[in-house]
Amino acid sequence: MNGRLKASGGAVGGGLLVAGTTSDAGKSVVTAGICRWLVRQGVRVAPFKAQNMSLNSFVTREGAEIGRAQAMQAAAARVEPTALMNPVLLKPGSDRSSQVVLLGKPVGELSARGYHAGRQEQLLGTVTDCLQELRRTHDAVICEGAGSPAEINLRRTDIVNMGIARAARIPVVVVGDIDRGGVFASFFGTTALLSKEDQALVAGYLVNKFRGDVTLLEPGLEMLRGLTGRRTLGVLPFAHGLGIDEEDGLRVSLRGAVRESVVAPPHGADVLRVAVCAVPLMSNFTDVDALAAEPGVVVRFVDRAEELADADLVVLPGTRGTVRALEWLRQRGLADAIARRAAEGRPVLGICGGFQMLGEHIEDEVESKAGAVEGLGLLPVRVRFAVEKTLARPSGEALGEPVEGYEIHHGVAEVTGGDEAFISDDQGHSLDGCRTGSVWGTHWHGSLESDGFRRAFLRRVAADAGRAFVPAPDTGFGTLREEQLDRLGDLIEEHADTGALLRLIEEGVPEGLPFVPPGAP
């Protein structure tokens, strides 16, 4: 490893921005892969995303809310996630407004017009300071962009793509998803739509999700270099089953989206079918990833009542719009179908917003401002929405097993009965949630990632559903995640020009990168 990467005496570490030709081009994956490859070389590396729009979030040890993608990238870098890694998080509440989370804490709701009209520009200093602090304490910081840097309508207020790259003077690598088609046009057009000053930071390209013989692609890569003066620094093959945390729940198909499960036969005689109701503004749908990791557990997202018929477990996930999701469930007949399941003793699990929907009564003057709303009435719970958001990383016991999770909610639940608490402390005192019959509810995201508890819960579900399903005794969710992150590191190490990436991180923006006309208007 080149010693120049090592930061010493307060020197600023190296940096790189991973931009994309489009949303979902693979920026999160590439950023995580570079972080994992670097840390395996002994480099102290941290991820960074100045501004993230996502309903999938995480709570750090200090109680700060950040995007789950950045928490995943921190795991790839083998560092503890902090608010510095994602200083601005936007959590959509509708098509036109979002909750703004600044340095891990909510600071209010803003319309898209209001945010881009001034607030975003005011945050450039904050995000630059966060990046500078990470570079001061790490050898390298790998930044992730958002959407496309060529969104010329938003360039003036950009703080996450070329805005942060120019402010910090760091080189940019653009990722393109060849599986979508048009990758050469996307690379060329993205570059040609940037101003001369922004183009001077674009140092190269990475092709993502390639299938087939790479030699057939090489003539096009050479022509692209001739047109832009920039090399393609790697062609990453399409990789199945990565299963990393996704950034934006709004992009999940609302029907028939099947989470990729471990390719292994069930440990027992039966499979276990899990149906996740794809409610509006679904948040932290990554909660069910741990279920999908179990051999023999089949997870799918549904939006029709008839799709619950053969499910052994129905999950109501988190949502940024509890009252709106309740109305959606009723309109589609899903509320009645879930009530029938509960009456028949068939398992239902509610997580966070889903837990709140299962209760008897909701008082909401904060999120929806709908006031008093009746819940599904399947759990003895009354919910009142508080202005202050609960952000915590609790731990406890459930079904005789240790369990950890994280809380992100405005709703405060008052449990007035039930057969048992969902999660208790070591003295048996209730910490969160409850169960009535075969209906369970908890505010804790991530609880199913606790291996012992997940197996115990699935055994209860299988018994209630009458399935001869047996959880595999050795499925370790944390181990599987580490293996997936190592696969990302392998993709970079084996298919990218790591020497060129190192030079960019160490030495910064290359001199003399040519201008590609016409440039931004």
Side-chain angles (χ1 to χ4, degrees), residues 43-332:
V43 176
R44 293 176 302 165
V45 59
F48 177 79
K49 185 162 186 173
Q51 173 192 292
N52 194 347
M53 178 173 280
S54 179
L55 289 170
N56 282 336
S57 58
F58 183 75
V59 179
T60 67
R61 292 290 180 192
E62 69 268 27
E65 185 179 8
I66 66 172
R68 271 201 70 103
Q70 279 61 67
M72 175 272 295
Q73 290 161 356
R78 296 181 179 142
V79 294
E80 189 67 30
T82 73
L84 292 173
M85 297 172 183
N86 181 205
V88 181
L89 173 63
L90 305 178
K91 302 194 71 175
S94 70
D95 291 340
R96 296 192 176 186
S97 67
S98 294
Q99 182 181 67
V100 181
V101 179
L102 179 61
L103 293 174
K105 303 298 180 183
V107 295
E109 296 273 341
L110 275 180
S111 68
R113 180 181 293 273
Y115 185 67
H116 289 286
R119 177 68 171 176
Q120 191 174 32
E121 286 181 285
Q122 297 169 8
L123 295 174
L124 180 58
T126 299
V127 301
T128 303
D129 289 345
C130 290
L131 175 56
Q132 185 75 0
E133 177 62 17
L134 287 173
R135 294 181 73 184
R136 189 184 66 80
T137 54
H138 294 79
D139 304 331
V141 178
I142 309 302
C143 309
E144 179 188 346
S148 163
E151 292 167 351
I152 54 178
N153 56 315
L154 302 177
R155 176 61 185 92
R156 182 180 61 82
T157 57
D158 170 44
I159 63 172
V160 65
N161 291 306
M162 304 312 299
I164 191 68
R166 198 192 294 191
R169 291 300 301 171
I170 55 176
V172 177
V173 173
V174 181
V175 178
D177 180 356
I178 198 170
D179 200 47
R180 294 181 173 188
V183 74
F184 295 119
S186 297
F187 282 143
F188 181 85
T190 296
T191 308
L193 274 177
L194 300 179
S195 69
K196 183 176 181 180
E197 293 79 8
D198 286 348
Q199 284 191 29
L201 302 177
V202 176
Y205 310 113
L206 275 170
V207 175
N208 191 32
K209 297 184 184 178
F210 180 73
R211 307 171 192 252
D213 184 351
V214 72
T215 61
L216 299 177
L217 193 66
E218 289 171 351
L221 301 179
E222 282 303 310
M223 285 186 276
L224 181 67
R225 184 176 184 179
L227 289 166
T228 66
R230 291 157 174 86
R231 291 180 53 223
T232 298
L233 305 180
V235 178
L236 309 182
F238 192 99
H240 291 279
L242 288 175
I244 65 164
D245 294 353
E246 297 179 62
E247 180 175 285
D248 197 341
L250 296 178
R251 294 194 187 98
V252 173
S253 168
L254 295 185
R255 287 203 66 256
V258 179
R259 304 294 291 174
E260 292 192 73
S261 301
V262 174
V263 182
H267 193 70
D270 279 348
V271 299
L272 206 65
R273 297 175 176 84
V274 178
V276 184
C277 294
V279 297
L281 299 175
M282 181 168 51
S283 62
N284 285 64
F285 58 85
T286 48
D287 282 330
V288 300
D289 284 354
L291 296 178
E294 286 283 350
V297 176
V298 179
V299 179
R300 69 183 189 274
F301 290 88
V302 303
D303 67 352
R304 298 190 305 198
E306 56 267 31
E307 293 175 301
L308 304 186
D310 66 344
D312 302 305
L313 170 67
V314 170
V315 177
L316 284 178
T319 171
R320 255 277 283 157
T322 299
V323 171
R324 177 177 168 183
L326 259 176
E327 181 182 3
W328 181 87
L329 289 173
R330 287 173 169 138
Q331 288 174 343
R332 290 177 170 264

Side-chain angles (χ1 to χ4, degrees), residues 355 360 379-383 413-419 433-434 436:
F355 169 41
E360 298 168 342
L379 287 176
V381 175
R382 299 179 70 82
V383 175
E414 177 191 1
V415 179
T416 60
D419 298 331
C434 66
T436 296

